[in-house]
Amino acid sequence: MIERNFHIMTFGCQMNSNDSDWLKRSLISRGFTEAATPEDASVFILNTCSVREKPEQKVYSLLGRIQTMTKGREDILVAVGGCVAQQVGRGFFNRFKQVRLVFGTDGLASAPQALDRLVEEDQLRMSLLDFSEEYPEKDQEWSDGVVPPAGFVNIMQGCDNFCAYCIVPYTRGRQKSRSSVSVLEECRTLVARGMRDITLLGQNVNSFGQDAHGDGTSFAALLHQVADIKGLERLRFVTSHPKDIADEVIDAFGTRENICPRLHLPMQSGSDRILKSMGRKYDITRYRGIVDKLRHARPDLQLTTDIIVGFPGETEEDFLQTLRTAQEIGFAQSFSFNYSDRPGTRAEMLADKVTKEVMQDRLQRYQDWQSEYTEHILQSMVGRKLDVLFEGMSKKPGSDNNAEAWQGRDVFGQLVHVTLPSGGDMAGKFMPVTITEAKKHSLIGEKAGEPW
Ligand code: 5AD
Ligand code: SF4
């Protein structure tokens, strides 16, 4: 029998972190405990991502490290989940003796039961790789009854867009919306237990409900229903595909007080030619039109984006269009990446690949601009009074013993550090804060009113 002591390693997107958080809670409710350090663990869970670069190699080398670290121990169980598990599947069993469970996205919901069995039956191996027809509803176990002040609620799984570069539709399957009733129930429970900031999560939230599994509720309708929940102070959603964002959703930024003025709207490229080849189904005029409407609805809206540099066929001029467009729109932040071939995607077959050197040079130029601009945005916050929702103590302790450093987020989601007299429990509380200083990635502020 294997000890019920686990360690989870998570790679990739917000979906994966959210899945890992759920898995952790679910395992704890089944009598597992989280190991204090990886060395103490008997059950290792790797939640993997294959969206970019060489994820398989990363997973193999990590499995090799676990093997070395646990040399001589028989009582080890390794589970591999997420997108790489979906792709490689049972192939892991042949290469690594310790791997006894592989689970894909739809298999996650039953991974805790599987682990329950596997710790008891040491000859058993299991794979949960099938895509289910329906959204695989998971039990919502908050074992210790305490919910964090801010959290995520999954509203859908998978994606139907098949953008030329993207592996997600293959690893996470086709789009499956969750029922609006379940989404609302989960949001209401979380708010009743103290959550004050919710992010609705999905690969393409704006097409919520528009698949065979939807219950007729559109994303705009769902957004309003969640925004109506009393006690929910902040509402966000991620990710939005520009081609699917409805006018009602744009308008909601202007009419609903608890919808936060920050939106992630992946642009990917500023060149119409490249966008067409990516299969994104919008051009830059349309993208800019959406940005204008959003800013009309909510003038202080901050926009963030995803950019791919070096997509096959991208010329210097295409890249410059991306850079110029980003500068004109003024993204508060970008997640920018070098294009990487993903097996089985349309882009993998395209000719005219951009060399690594050219790609790296373009990425550097893009990122140099973005870091400077992000700093400029943070600087512009100095002197402003903003409500901060505190999440916990900052890692760095304050310089004097009578003070504690707390960290939280403002309405834009920016990290704010505040030093406060020790002894007060600020977790889950809002407090007005005057911003006194901007760092490279965060803000420093001081108390400017009473917590609530
Ligand atoms: N190469 C580089 N970046 C990619 N992304 C997705 N697939 C690839 C790829 N093959 C980026 C996109 C997407 C984000 C999650 O990852 O920008 O929006
Ligand atoms: Fe990938 Fe495009 Fe779907 Fe986003 S919308 S997950 S980039 S296929």
Side-chain angles (χ1 to χ4, degrees):
M1 204 170 78
I2 287 170
E3 237 187 287
R4 293 169 170 260
N5 204 352
F6 69 90
H7 176 66
I8 305 187
M9 287 163 268
T10 310
F11 303 89
C13 64
Q14 209 50 260
M15 300 273 204
N16 268 15
S17 336
N18 194 45
D19 287 351
S20 289
D21 285 350
W22 175 82
L23 189 57
K24 182 169 130 182
R25 289 197 304 275
S26 182
L27 287 175
I28 291 172
S29 77
R30 286 168 181 273
F32 285 78
T33 49
E34 200 174 8
T37 68
E39 289 79 8
D40 295 333
S42 300
V43 179
F44 291 86
I45 302 154
L46 272 59
N47 197 359
T48 64
C49 165
S50 55
V51 86
R52 286 179 297 274
E53 284 143 30
K54 299 199 169 61
E56 264 175 63
Q57 278 79 339
K58 216 153 75 184
V59 176
Y60 291 141
S61 84
L62 201 61
L63 287 169
R65 286 225 304 275
I66 294 174
Q67 234 168 12
T68 316
M69 187 172 84
T70 57
K71 215 179 168 90
R73 285 177 62 183
E74 286 293 313
D75 61 329
I76 300 294
L77 162 60
V78 179
V80 186
C83 293
V84 180
Q86 192 77 59
Q87 281 178 290
V88 177
R90 303 177 65 90
F92 280 114
F93 293 158
N94 308 329
R95 292 189 59 158
F96 294 90
K97 190 171 130 259
Q98 293 175 319
V99 176
R100 292 207 283 121
L101 172 65
V102 286
F103 60 95
T105 356
D106 289 0
L108 172 75
S110 30
Q113 282 109 296
L115 287 165
D116 240 351
R117 268 190 78 181
L118 290 162
V119 292
E120 305 288 337
E121 300 175 44
D122 58 9
Q123 295 308 313
L124 194 66
R125 284 182 141 173
M126 289 172 85
S127 60
L128 306 166
L129 298 166
D130 287 347
F131 285 118
S132 55
E133 260 308 300
E134 301 288 319
Y135 176 93
E137 204 49 60
K138 298 192 274 293
D139 47 339
Q140 296 305 323
E141 197 85 53
W142 290 87
S143 58
D144 50 4
V146 180
V147 304
F152 295 89
V153 171
N154 221 309
I155 67 166
M156 68 205 310
Q157 206 141 283
C159 180
D160 283 350
N161 285 322
F162 292 92
C163 297
Y165 50 81
C166 189
I167 201 160
V168 165
Y170 307 95
T171 58
R172 294 205 166 240
R174 308 303 295 270
Q175 179 175 312
K176 292 192 284 274
S177 296
R178 195 175 171 192
S179 89
S180 61
V181 176
S182 312
V183 173
L184 276 168
E185 198 179 275
E186 185 177 348
C187 291
R188 288 198 185 109
T189 309
L190 290 170
V191 173
R193 298 234 196 143
M195 193 172 279
R196 303 176 89 178
D197 179 330
I198 288 182
T199 302
L200 302 176
L201 197 59
Q203 221 74 50
N204 184 11
V205 292
N206 289 279
S207 62
F208 173 83
Q210 293 168 23
D211 52 73
H213 314 277
D215 62 4
T217 308
S218 68
F219 180 62
L222 180 77
L223 194 63
H224 280 291
Q225 287 166 6
V226 178
D228 281 339
I229 299 175
K230 267 205 142 43
L232 178 62
E233 310 285 345
R234 289 177 175 175
L235 175 57
R236 315 167 198 272
F237 52 89
V238 75
T239 293
S240 294
H241 193 307
K243 80 174 166 57
D244 295 314
I245 191 160
D247 283 344
E248 295 97 294
V249 173
I250 298 178
D251 294 343
F253 279 94
T255 55
R256 305 298 309 228
E257 251 178 56
N258 53 0
I259 297 186
C260 294
R262 177 142 162 154
L263 178 69
H264 187 62
L265 195 63
M267 180 173 89
Q268 311 295 5
S269 168
S271 151
D272 284 345
R273 208 173 57 80
I274 297 297
L275 285 172
K276 193 157 196 300
S277 165
M278 285 176 165
R280 291 287 289 174
K281 304 193 177 73
Y282 55 84
D283 59 16
I284 277 304
T285 311
R286 170 131 180 246
Y287 188 92
R288 281 176 188 274
I290 297 166
V291 170
D292 290 345
K293 277 201 253 178
L294 282 161
R295 289 203 165 131
H296 180 73
R298 186 77 206 235
D300 63 343
L301 183 86
Q302 286 189 359
L303 283 161
T304 62
T305 202
D306 285 348
I307 297 290
I308 298 178
V309 158
F311 185 80
E314 185 191 74
T315 61
E316 176 65 13
E317 180 48 32
D318 290 320
F319 167 70
L320 288 176
Q321 281 175 17
T322 302
L323 184 61
R324 273 188 238 120
T325 313
Q327 289 169 338
E328 282 160 22
I329 291 172
F331 293 116
Q333 218 184 337
S334 297
F335 299 93
S336 48
F337 317 98
N338 280 335
Y339 166 77
S340 104
D341 267 339
R342 304 286 75 218
T345 59
R346 272 183 291 131
E348 191 197 15
M349 321 296 178
L350 292 176
D352 219 358
K353 296 273 157 67
V354 176
T355 66
K356 262 234 121 22
E357 293 70 33
V358 170
M359 238 183 321
Q360 195 47 42
D361 170 67
R362 290 180 188 164
L363 187 67
Q364 193 62 50
R365 281 186 278 157
Y366 187 88
Q367 292 183 340
D368 286 347
W369 164 72
Q370 184 64 72
S371 359
E372 215 173 280
Y373 195 71
T374 302
E375 265 188 86
H376 159 78
I377 294 214
L378 290 173
Q379 282 295 344
S380 74
M381 298 286 149
V382 174
R384 281 184 66 174
K385 192 166 147 182
L386 299 166
D387 284 336
V388 172
L389 173 58
F390 287 95
E391 285 164 9
M393 300 258 236
S394 304
K395 292 207 176 64
K396 283 170 273 160
S399 52
D400 86 73
N401 289 336
N402 301 318
E404 284 167 352
W406 283 86
Q407 69 177 33
R409 293 194 182 263
D410 66 17
V411 73
F412 302 105
Q414 301 172 128
L415 194 61
V416 184
H417 297 277
V418 184
T419 303
L420 293 166
S422 33
D425 184 7
M426 292 300 293
K429 294 207 175 101
F430 278 95
M431 191 177 78
V433 166
T434 301
I435 305 300
T436 53
E437 198 186 330
K439 298 275 183 200
K440 233 176 148 43
H441 303 287
S442 61
L443 299 165
I444 313 279
E446 56 190 33
K447 181 173 172 177
E450 289 314 308
W452 46 286

